[in-house]
Amino acid sequence: MLIYNAKVVTWEKPNQIHDNYAVYIQGNLIKEIGPSSELLKKYPAEDKIDADEQLLMPGSICAHTHFYGAYSRGMGIPGVPSKDFPENLENLWFKLDRSLDEESTRLSAQIFAIDAIKAGCTTLFDHHASPEFIDGSLDVIADVIDKSGLRASLCYEVTDRNGKNGTKAGIRENVRFLTSLKAGKNLGGRLAGAFGIHACLTVDEETLEDCAAAIPDGFGFHIHLAESQEDEWDSLYRFGARCGQRLYQHHILGDRTIVAHAVHVDAREMELLKETGTWISHQPRSNMNNAVGAAQVESMLADGMKVCLGNDGFTFDMWSEWKTAYFLQKVIHRDPRRMNGYDVQEMAIYNNAKLAGQAFGFGDQFGTITVNAPADLILVDYKPFTDLNPGNIPWHIIFGFREAMITTTIVDGKVLMLNRELTTMDEKAICARSREKCPEVWRRFSELHGVK
C-alpha cells in the first residue's frame, strides 16, 4: 500500500514534518518514505490512498484504560452523591464491574474498540475487572482486539474486595493469559499483557506476595497507585508503609510495570519509581472528575521519570487528554507558565511510544514513521492557517486538533477505518445489541444498591 500526497509527521526525535510525502507499507511495516512524485513512480501498481494533503501521523497510544467502564456512560447512581473517591469506587465502579457477564464484557470492549478506531488511538493498555466473570475474561477481550485489528495490552485486576476466592481467581486469570502469550498467542505482535492488581487500598500483604510469586518471567504489573490520598492513609494505617514502599518491598515496581495516577506519592516514593524504572501513567480528565488532585508530572518529567498519558476509560480522543494535561497544571497552580506543551508531547508521544515499543517488541521505532516501524498510522484532516512545524506542533494539537478530523486509521498495515468508514467492526449492530443489553446490566447494578 502507498499513501501519498501527505504532510508526514514522523515523531522521530527530533521530529520532522515533510510536505507532499509518501509512505510505502509492505505487510505490517513501513518500508520506504520519500517525496510523493518519487514513490508514485517506483510503486505504480500498489494499492494507493491519496491523503489529499492531510497529516499522516503515527496513531495515538493510551497507556491506561478500562474497557469495562463502557456501561457507566449515562447511568444514574442511586443514593446520595459520593463525597470522595472511596465512595465513588464503592458506589459506581465496584458495583458496575460486578454487573458484567461474558456478553457485556465483550460488548464493553467492542464499544470502546470502535471509539478507539474512530479516535485514531491504535494502541491501548487495558486494565479489566468483572468479578462475576473472571475465568476466560481476557480471552473474550483478546478476541475483540483480534477482530477489531487494534493493538492492546491486557490484564485482569486482582483485588481482595470480593473475598480470597476472587483474589485467587484473578491471579489464575493473569497467569493463564500471560502464559498463553509466552506460548505465542499474541496475534502476531498485536497482543501483549501485564499482571493486573487493583490498588494498595484493596489488597493485603499476602495478596501482593502471591502476585509477586505468580507472575511469569518477562512481564510486569499494571496497578493503580496513590490515586487518592485515602489510598496512602489506608496503607499507612493498615500496614505501616506508604503505597509505593509496599509495592517496592514486594518487588511489584520495575521497568516493565505501569502505575496509574501516582497523584499522592511523596518524595521517597518518587525516588523508588525512578530507581526501579517504573512507568507512570497520567490521567488528568479522570483525576479532575474524581476530584483527587493533580500528579506532580512536571517534577517527575524534569527528574527523568517515565511519565506516560492514559485516559482511565474516558473517550479515546487522546488529544482531549493532551488539552486537559496542559490546562490542569495551570489552574491547580494558578500560574499560566506551568506545563509546557513539550512536556505533554513527551508524555503522549515519546514516553507512550517507548512503553508500547517495550510491550510489543518494536523498540524505539514504535510510534514513529521510519523505515521498519510498525504501520500504525492515522490521517488527520487538519488544514492549518498558520505555520505548522516541529517546534510548534504541540500547540497546534492542544488548540487546534479535534477527534472529528481523523479520517483513516491503520494498524499493523491493515486499514481499520477509511474516509471515516469502519472496515472491521459493524458499529450499528454492536451499538444496537449494547442498547438491548443495557437494561440488564443497569438492573443488576441497581440491585447491588438495594434498589429493585
Side-chain angles (χ1 to χ4, degrees):
M1 173 167 42
L2 184 69
I3 305 172
Y4 67 98
N5 192 18
K7 183 187 282 287
V8 175
V9 181
T10 68
W11 283 132
E12 298 170 272
K13 208 167 191 181
N15 185 24
Q16 297 185 57
I17 300 177
H18 303 292
D19 285 322
N20 200 8
Y21 253 50
V23 171
Y24 174 58
I25 299 168
Q26 188 176 65
N28 65 340
L29 300 176
I30 295 168
K31 283 301 181 183
E32 195 167 352
I33 305 153
S36 292
S37 57
E38 294 181 11
L39 267 62
L40 281 167
K41 289 178 183 177
K42 189 171 181 178
Y43 301 105
E46 298 294 337
D47 292 338
K48 295 180 182 65
I49 295 177
D50 182 354
D52 191 25
E53 301 181 349
Q54 295 180 81
L55 298 180
L56 179 63
M57 311 168 65
S60 295
I61 298 165
C62 178
H64 175 74
T65 193
H66 297 286
F67 292 152
Y68 79 83
Y71 278 104
S72 67
R73 190 169 297 178
M75 182 177 67
I77 304 173
V80 177
S82 303
K83 71 177 184 300
D84 54 27
F85 183 63
E87 281 196 4
N88 200 39
L89 287 175
E90 186 61 42
N91 291 336
L92 174 55
W93 302 112
F94 290 173
K95 290 180 171 59
L96 177 60
D97 63 14
R98 286 179 60 196
S99 302
L100 301 178
D101 58 12
E102 180 173 348
E103 186 183 19
S104 46
T105 294
R106 180 180 296 276
L107 285 164
S108 294
Q110 288 176 322
I111 290 160
F112 274 0
I114 290 169
D115 185 65
I117 293 170
K118 293 171 71 174
C121 190
T122 53
T123 301
L124 321 163
F125 287 79
D126 186 55
H127 195 277
H128 178 65
S130 52
E132 302 301 318
F133 170 57
I134 298 175
D135 297 343
S137 59
L138 295 183
D139 284 349
V140 168
I141 300 171
D143 184 60
V144 172
I145 295 303
D146 183 19
K147 291 172 180 171
S148 72
L150 289 165
R151 198 183 299 273
S153 173
L154 309 180
C155 69
Y156 187 85
E157 171 190 298
V158 173
T159 179
D160 292 335
R161 61 186 165 87
N162 301 300
K164 284 296 183 179
N165 286 336
T167 302
K168 293 174 182 177
I171 291 173
R172 285 196 307 270
E173 180 63 4
N174 278 302
V175 171
R176 183 199 62 76
F177 179 71
L178 296 180
T179 302
S180 74
L181 291 178
K182 290 190 75 170
K185 297 180 180 179
N186 65 353
L187 305 184
R190 286 195 296 109
L191 192 64
F195 195 111
I197 306 175
H198 177 244
C200 287
L201 191 69
T202 62
V203 292
D204 61 21
E205 296 293 274
E206 179 187 27
T207 295
L208 288 179
E209 184 176 337
D210 289 345
C211 290
I215 187 170
D217 291 339
F219 295 97
F221 294 90
H222 190 166
I223 181 172
H224 302 89
L225 171 63
E227 184 173 359
S228 73
Q229 60 187 353
E230 288 85 1
D231 197 16
E232 294 285 18
W233 296 129
D234 174 82
S235 187
L236 285 164
Y237 178 73
R238 291 199 293 155
F239 306 107
R242 293 180 69 86
C243 295
Q245 293 170 308
R246 287 181 65 201
L247 299 185
Y248 179 77
Q249 291 162 2
H250 287 280
H251 307 289
I252 302 296
L253 302 181
D255 62 3
R256 301 194 75 90
T257 288
I258 303 168
V259 297
H261 303 295
V263 175
H264 294 278
V265 292
D266 69 4
R268 177 56 182 152
E269 288 171 295
M270 284 196 276
E271 287 178 356
L272 294 175
L273 292 170
K274 181 182 178 182
E275 174 189 322
T276 55
T278 300
W279 301 90
I280 303 106
S281 185
H282 179 46
Q283 288 71 228
R285 283 188 290 177
S286 173
N287 295 158
M288 291 174 67
N289 183 55
N290 287 319
V292 295
Q296 300 177 62
V297 291
E298 293 169 292
S299 296
M300 292 176 181
L301 288 165
D303 198 29
M305 297 171 70
K306 300 188 298 188
V307 187
C308 301
L309 196 67
N311 74 353
D312 208 28
F314 274 64
T315 61
F316 283 94
D317 170 19
M318 292 303 293
W319 296 331
S320 288
E321 214 69 54
W322 278 61
K323 300 171 199 288
T324 310
Y326 184 73
F327 299 136
L328 175 57
Q329 297 295 327
K330 299 176 187 300
V331 72
I332 283 285
H333 298 287
R334 300 174 66 185
D335 185 344
R337 297 166 295 185
R338 299 300 292 261
M339 185 50 86
N340 193 302
Y342 294 131
D343 285 341
V344 184
Q345 175 181 269
E346 191 70 18
M347 291 187 292
I349 299 299
Y350 297 114
N351 287 347
N352 272 12
K354 288 176 185 175
L355 171 65
Q358 179 191 73
F360 296 94
F362 289 93
D364 291 341
Q365 287 187 294
F366 201 100
T368 65
I369 297 182
T370 55
V371 174
N372 291 324
D376 295 4
L377 305 168
I378 58 174
L379 281 171
V380 185
D381 190 18
Y382 179 66
K383 299 296 191 294
F385 49 83
T386 58
D387 185 45
L388 170 67
N389 60 65
N392 69 12
I393 192 170
W395 289 272
H396 274 277
I397 292 174
I398 291 167
F399 291 102
F401 278 32
R402 299 191 304 277
E403 176 186 2
M405 295 173 175
I406 297 160
T407 65
T408 297
T409 301
I410 299 168
V411 178
D412 211 39
K414 181 177 181 180
V415 177
L416 311 187
M417 181 174 72
L418 181 63
N419 295 326
R420 298 188 173 92
E421 293 290 330
L422 297 174
T423 63
T424 61
M425 305 191 76
D426 187 338
E427 180 178 12
K428 185 176 181 180
I430 290 168
C431 289
R433 178 55 195 154
S434 180
R435 287 192 297 272
E436 291 173 355
K437 186 72 174 178
C438 176
E440 179 185 329
V441 175
W442 286 8
R443 184 182 68 251
R444 285 197 292 264
F445 178 84
S446 295
E447 288 172 353
L448 290 169
H449 273 280
V451 178
K452 296 295 184 180

